[in-house]
Amino acid sequence: MNQILQDAPTDTPHADTSPTATISADSAPAEPSPPDDAPPAPSHPRFTKPQRVAFVQSAWHRDVVAECRHAFLDEIAARHIARDRVDIFEVPGSFESPLHAQLLAKTRRYTAIVAAGLVVDGGIYRHEFVADTVIKALMDVQLRTEVPVFSAVLTPQQFHETQAHFDFFRKHFATKGIEVATACAETLLSLERLRSQVAAGII
């Protein structure tokens, strides 16, 4: 399953598209005005060159991992990489992410690649070796190709298929989505400056 996925609005778990949930513009409540002492929205630097990012998402516990994607897209857009500059790919599990990341990096189409997944203890075998293998392989990809690869592949100490754990890890993946978007944007800016200095013979 290495096709590009469309991040359609109906994929967002928070959206309610039923007729009873539709609110017309006339009946919608007015947006509250921000308080006078509200801090200004953060201003992020812009890139010199266009950026394109590949987001490789594991299908295992898709609804949990999707929270990372949603938060990533919101934060990366705030950092001047538009949503239509992010291509979404889905793989069966985290173990399949490194090969996809490597093939995507070799296309030279992407300036960064993000992998997201959830590796959990199935109760039969130790799951840490999967997580360790995936993280090491993703690091190898970026060192071989010089395309930065970012990991939001998480392996919790405990994960039980209960509503409480699903809710907790959805929130946790949303936080990780913001964090990985921040790391991605700041690294791309840093590499842009570094490569410019190398090309100019400054370093």
Side-chain angles (χ1 to χ4, degrees):
M1 294 178 62
N2 57 353
Q3 297 176 341
I4 297 180
L5 299 182
Q6 297 298 322
D7 197 35
T10 53
D11 189 42
T12 305
H14 309 297
D16 187 348
T17 56
S18 63
T20 56
T22 303
I23 300 176
S24 68
D26 295 334
S27 62
E31 289 289 333
S33 23
D36 294 337
D37 58 349
S43 176
H44 300 296
R46 293 183 177 273
F47 297 93
T48 304
K49 297 179 180 179
Q51 307 292 325
R52 179 172 286 277
V53 178
F55 192 99
V56 182
Q57 174 186 325
S58 167
W60 185 252
H61 291 301
R62 181 187 287 112
D63 59 331
V64 176
V65 182
E67 295 296 329
C68 180
R69 184 181 80 244
H70 298 314
F72 175 86
L73 290 172
D74 288 343
E75 183 65 21
I76 208 71
R79 291 174 177 272
H80 309 298
I81 299 178
R83 289 169 181 259
D84 61 2
R85 303 288 297 174
V86 180
D87 292 339
I88 311 296
F89 298 85
E90 187 175 85
V91 294
S94 296
F95 200 76
E96 289 74 42
S97 296
L99 178 58
H100 282 69
Q102 178 166 286
L103 292 175
L104 291 167
K106 285 183 175 181
T107 67
R108 296 298 164 187
R109 176 176 172 82
Y110 300 99
T111 51
I113 298 167
V114 178
L118 179 62
V119 181
V120 300
D121 186 351
I124 299 174
Y125 56 86
R126 303 297 294 179
H127 62 297
E128 292 92 340
F129 82 90
V130 175
D132 291 346
T133 300
V134 170
I135 299 303
K136 182 180 183 303
L138 292 173
M139 176 62 73
D140 289 345
V141 169
Q142 75 169 346
L143 294 179
R144 278 196 303 268
T145 63
E146 296 186 5
V147 175
V149 179
F150 302 89
S151 173
V153 177
L154 308 182
T155 176
Q157 291 182 343
Q158 291 186 352
F159 180 85
H160 303 293
E161 302 215 10
T162 63
Q163 192 60 47
H165 270 209
F166 279 120
D167 291 344
F168 174 84
F169 283 105
R170 283 190 187 98
K171 292 178 182 177
H172 189 61
F173 264 93
T175 300
K176 296 306 293 185
I178 295 171
E179 292 175 352
V180 76
T182 301
C184 178
E186 291 181 354
T187 300
L188 287 174
L189 285 165
S190 178
L191 288 174
E192 200 172 61
R193 289 192 296 269
L194 178 60
R195 285 165 177 158
S196 176
Q197 291 172 341
V198 170
I202 298 173
I203 57 175

